[in-house]
């Protein structure tokens, strides 16, 4: 058995060979004067020479190697030799026995098929960091060797102890898992724990962190009831990953809720967010869609900052992609965003989502959006069921390589008795001061037909009177009164052509005006105002209905 080529790689062999070569060269140059005389005198014939590798006793060398060494031969991998380190690690092994019975540790580690591969291919194979019985980890290298008088050949098994490296790697993986859990916990804590549920919409959302890496992304969503029956919906994606992206996401989500309370148009909200994103971190950008649903309009008004298009499926299964208008992402600055709108009538479903749902490395983004459109056209059920079905149709699993956020909202059609709980009535306020008594009479008749209790009827008529009087005094035509009831509240709204928003103030005893808004704020559950497209304003109030109403 020839171990020359293998033993030449043993630790220290190169150093001994180099020493022997250097000695030979020195001896050859003695006559050239390149070696000092004193040194030349010490190099006598009695000086012992360094033995060649072929002259070393191979078994003695292998017995002293700290790595585990075993030699097997033949198709059954019968044991020819194990060194002392192998015996210390796994105990004595009988020579001549097949590996399947005599080397159970190799069988447990799944190395017996590897030995077969080495014999068939005559090529070495290596498996890294396998944990052996006893808890130590080894990297095994199996190398084919020629065996004398054995045509089947043999395999030299060399196992280096890598326990320290394996434990360090496991500590690193544990640290990464801990960091990931921290980031995911932060991400989830910054998302709404429970979505607000408007009167006129059914809404559900889901968030799926990506993969098993230590970092998660900055995907986020929110639902904000604005009052007066209107609802804001927002979804966004902070570029980057990890705790930093999640923290930026949290700041943007908090800012959106604050800006939403101003009841601004969607594009103005994005303008404010754009400036804030630059202040938070000029090097970090985010995409976002902010949309507002008004049940009286039957449309979804939205603005997009570099985000993916909203998809709307009508009651007939036709899907509309709201592509325009779209501005650049938040944090880029210098751009004036604009608002667009898409129909969202009864029976319609809208989907807002982040790129993890539709973007794949091996496919075009438009293909992913088209696939989502097809899935949406055929999806039915509650918003939560639709969220789950859209995730499944896109192939999103726990091992997905990107974060995914999905927000599904339905504007349900309400036929029959349920539809009686959702009513609208409107009156154009024409003429001068005579419009006020006409508005009171209209409100009284409507509220009576809706069978409200007497106290709620009287409060509704009083609120109508004060809002109309305020509009007649401070507003400009055109003016309109609108009453709306849902299964939970009564909403009264007056619009006019003047964009100066009213404010609640303290009226002095001698003041003849200034008490209308204060009265409304006192008797109503909530009130507010906003500017409307075209330069006007809307002032509204709402009353929470008693459970027995309707």
């Amino acid at each position: 058995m020839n171990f020359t080529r293998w033993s030449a790689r043993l630790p220290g062999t190169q150093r001994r060979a180099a020493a022997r070569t250097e000695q030979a060269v020195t001896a050859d140059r003695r006559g050239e004067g390149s070696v000092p005389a004193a040194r030349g005198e010490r190099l006598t014939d009695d000086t012992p020479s360094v033995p060649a590798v072929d002259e070393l006793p191979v078994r003695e060398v292998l017995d002293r190697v700290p790595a585990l060494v075993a030699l097997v031969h033949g198709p059954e991998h019968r044991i020819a030799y194990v060194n002392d380190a192998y015996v210390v690690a796994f105990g004595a092994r009988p020579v001549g026995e097949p590996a399947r019975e005599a080397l159970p540790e190799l069988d447990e580690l799944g190395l017996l098929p590897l030995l077969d591969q080495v014999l068939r291919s005559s090529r070495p194979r290596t498996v890294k960091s396998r944990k052996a019985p006893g808890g130590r980890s080894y990297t095994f290298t199996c190398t084919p060797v020629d065996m004398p008088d054995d045509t089947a050949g043999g395999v030299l098994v060399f196992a280096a102890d890598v326990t320290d490296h394996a434990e360090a790697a496991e500590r690193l993986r544990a640290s990464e898992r801990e960091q990931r859990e921290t980031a995911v916990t932060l991400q989830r804590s910054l998302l709404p724990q429970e979505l607000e549920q408007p009167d006129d919409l059914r809404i559900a959302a889901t968030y799926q962190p990506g993969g098993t890496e230590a970092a998660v992304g900055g995907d986020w969503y929110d639902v904000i009831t604005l009052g007066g029956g209107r609802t804001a919906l927002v979804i966004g994606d902070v570029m980057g990953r990890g705790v930093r992206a999640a923290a930026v996401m949290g700041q943007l989500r908090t800012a959106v809720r604050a800006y939403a309370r101003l009841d601004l148009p969607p594009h103005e909200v994005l303008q404010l967010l754009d400036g804030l994103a630059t202040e938070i971190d000029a090097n970090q950008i985010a995409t976002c869609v902010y949309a507002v649903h008004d049940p009286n309009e039957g449309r979804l008004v939205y603005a997009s900052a570099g985000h993916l298009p909203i998809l709307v499926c009508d009651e007939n299964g036709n899907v509309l992609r709201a592509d325009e208008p779209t501005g650049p992402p938040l944090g880029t600055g210098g751009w004036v965003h604009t608002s667009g709108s898409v129909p969202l009538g009864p029976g319609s479903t809208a989907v807002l989502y982040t790129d993890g749902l539709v973007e794949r490395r091996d496919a075009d983004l438009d293909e992913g959006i088209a696939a989502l459109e097809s899935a949406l056209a055929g999806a039915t059920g509650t918003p939560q069921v639709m969220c789950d079905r859209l995730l499944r149709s896109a192939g999103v699993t726990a091992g997905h390589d990107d974060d995914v956020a999905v927000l599904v909202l339905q504007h349900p059609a309400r036929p029959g008795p349920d539809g009686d709980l959702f009513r609208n009535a409107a009156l154009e306020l024409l003429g001068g001061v005579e419009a006020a008594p006409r508005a009171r009479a209209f409100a009284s008749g409507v509220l009576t037909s809706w069978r409200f209790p007497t106290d709620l009827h009287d409060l509704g008529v009083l609120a109508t009177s004060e809002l109309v009087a305020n509009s007649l005094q401070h507003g400009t035509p055109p003016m309109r009164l609108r009453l709306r009831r849902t299964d939970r509240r009564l909403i009264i709204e007056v619009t006019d052509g003047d964009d100066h928003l009213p404010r609640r103030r303290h009226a002095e005893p001698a003041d003849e005006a200034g008490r209308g808004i204060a009265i409304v704020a006192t008797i109503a559950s909530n009130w507010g105002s906003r500017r409307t497209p075209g330069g006007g304003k809307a002032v509204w109030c709402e009353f929470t209905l008693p459970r027995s109403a309707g």
Side-chain angles (χ1 to χ4, degrees):
M1 181 172 59
N2 186 358
F3 279 97
T4 302
R5 294 179 61 190
W6 177 81
S7 61
R9 301 190 184 98
L10 294 177
T13 303
Q14 294 89 341
R15 292 195 298 272
R16 289 191 294 271
R20 185 176 70 253
T21 303
E22 179 182 353
Q23 184 174 354
V25 171
T26 302
D28 291 341
R29 294 180 177 176
R30 290 178 60 185
E32 300 177 4
S34 59
V35 179
R39 183 174 180 182
E41 292 174 358
R42 288 197 298 271
L43 296 176
T44 64
D45 294 339
D46 297 332
T47 303
S49 61
V50 177
V53 173
D54 286 345
E55 299 171 6
L56 296 175
V58 174
R59 178 166 186 140
E60 181 180 350
V61 171
L62 293 179
D63 282 343
R64 296 187 179 187
V65 169
L68 281 59
V69 179
L71 180 65
V72 298
H73 66 97
E76 294 183 321
H77 310 300
R78 294 182 178 275
I79 300 176
Y81 164 79
V82 294
N83 71 345
D84 292 345
Y86 199 104
V87 172
V88 170
F90 298 121
R93 295 293 182 260
V95 174
E97 295 296 320
R100 188 169 297 279
E101 288 82 21
L103 299 174
E105 59 277 359
L106 297 187
D107 192 16
E108 291 182 32
L109 292 169
L111 293 180
L112 295 185
L114 191 69
L115 298 180
D116 295 334
Q117 294 177 21
V118 171
L119 278 182
R120 287 195 302 267
S121 65
S122 297
R123 298 179 62 183
R125 296 284 190 274
T126 298
V127 291
K128 296 182 178 180
S129 192
R130 293 284 180 90
K131 182 171 286 189
R136 307 295 292 179
S137 296
Y138 299 90
T139 289
F140 289 86
T141 299
C142 301
T143 305
V145 295
D146 296 330
M147 302 289 290
D149 302 326
D150 191 344
T151 57
V155 178
L156 184 71
V157 180
F158 185 90
D161 191 328
V162 294
T163 303
D164 292 343
H165 297 286
E167 291 177 349
E170 180 56 35
R171 287 194 296 270
L172 178 60
R173 286 192 293 268
S175 176
E176 291 176 345
R177 286 194 298 268
E178 184 177 351
Q179 292 178 33
R180 171 179 166 74
E181 290 171 1
T182 300
V184 170
T185 300
L186 174 61
Q187 173 85 339
R188 291 193 184 278
S189 67
L190 294 174
L191 292 173
Q193 303 304 301
E194 185 175 351
L195 290 179
E196 298 181 28
Q197 293 295 328
D199 296 1
D200 292 274
L201 298 176
R202 295 174 183 163
I203 301 177
T206 187
Y207 168 72
Q208 175 70 52
T212 56
E213 299 177 1
V216 298
D219 293 16
W220 56 290
Y221 56 82
D222 208 349
V223 177
I224 309 161
T225 53
L226 301 177
R230 302 166 71 251
T231 305
L233 308 116
V234 59
I235 194 165
D237 186 0
V238 177
M239 301 296 103
R241 304 181 69 81
V243 174
R244 176 60 181 167
V248 171
M249 175 272 289
Q251 295 178 75
L252 290 178
R253 176 176 174 256
T254 301
V256 167
R257 294 193 71 86
Y259 296 149
R261 298 307 176 193
L262 301 175
D263 216 339
L264 300 171
H267 64 275
E268 293 189 24
V269 172
L270 290 192
Q271 291 295 139
L272 294 172
L273 280 178
D274 184 41
L276 178 64
T278 304
E279 293 177 9
I280 293 174
D281 189 341
N283 298 317
Q284 196 146 21
I285 62 175
T287 64
C288 179
V289 165
Y290 181 87
V292 175
H293 175 255
D294 188 336
N296 296 306
E297 302 296 336
R299 303 187 69 82
L300 199 63
V301 180
Y302 68 92
S304 175
H307 203 78
L308 297 170
I310 300 172
L311 301 182
V312 178
C313 180
D314 65 19
E315 57 184 346
N316 298 318
N318 302 312
V319 178
L320 175 65
R321 183 189 302 190
D323 278 320
E324 299 293 340
T326 299
L330 303 176
T332 55
W335 182 270
V336 177
H337 291 273
T338 57
S339 294
S341 68
V342 61
L344 189 71
S348 298
T349 300
V351 178
L352 290 72
Y353 52 96
T354 57
D355 58 2
L357 185 66
V358 295
E359 190 172 34
R360 301 292 181 269
R361 292 192 179 97
D362 57 349
D364 186 76
L365 180 60
D366 282 337
E367 295 178 11
I369 298 176
L372 179 61
E373 290 178 344
S374 298
L376 176 60
T380 58
T382 66
Q384 188 58 61
V385 169
M386 294 191 68
C387 280
D388 298 337
R389 288 178 175 175
L390 294 179
L391 287 177
R392 286 197 302 269
S393 70
V396 176
T397 62
H400 194 61
D401 61 358
D402 194 7
D403 292 39
V404 177
V406 182
L407 182 66
V408 173
L409 56 139
Q410 293 177 343
H411 186 187
R414 294 182 172 90
D418 190 39
D420 292 337
L421 298 178
F422 291 80
R423 300 283 189 88
N424 287 279
L427 174 68
E428 300 296 330
L429 299 176
L430 304 175
V433 294
E434 66 274 13
R438 189 163 56 247
R440 287 193 295 270
F442 176 78
S444 178
V446 169
L447 298 180
T448 300
S449 69
W450 289 348
R451 299 179 181 179
F452 283 162
T454 302
D455 56 344
L456 184 57
H457 169 279
D458 293 344
L459 289 175
V461 172
L462 176 57
T464 298
S465 178
E466 295 298 335
L467 292 180
V468 170
N470 185 77
S471 183
L472 290 172
Q473 183 175 359
H474 302 288
T476 60
M479 301 178 185
R480 192 182 195 206
L481 167 67
R482 180 158 52 194
L483 290 86
R484 177 172 175 78
R485 69 155 296 168
T486 71
D487 57 346
R488 286 181 272 180
R489 72 197 77 233
L490 165 66
I491 302 166
I492 302 170
E493 181 180 81
V494 176
T495 59
D496 64 55
D498 185 82
D499 62 359
H500 289 85
L501 302 181
R503 60 185 178 87
R504 184 179 180 180
R505 64 185 179 88
H506 177 71
E508 297 297 335
D511 291 345
E512 296 183 359
R515 293 183 175 85
I517 294 299
I519 293 174
V520 171
T522 300
I523 64 175
S525 304
N526 193 15
W527 81 280
S529 61
R530 69 180 186 280
R531 290 185 173 88
T532 56
K537 69 173 178 294
V539 185
W540 57 267
C541 69
E542 58 186 33
F543 296 85
T544 301
L545 300 185
R547 293 183 180 274
S548 59

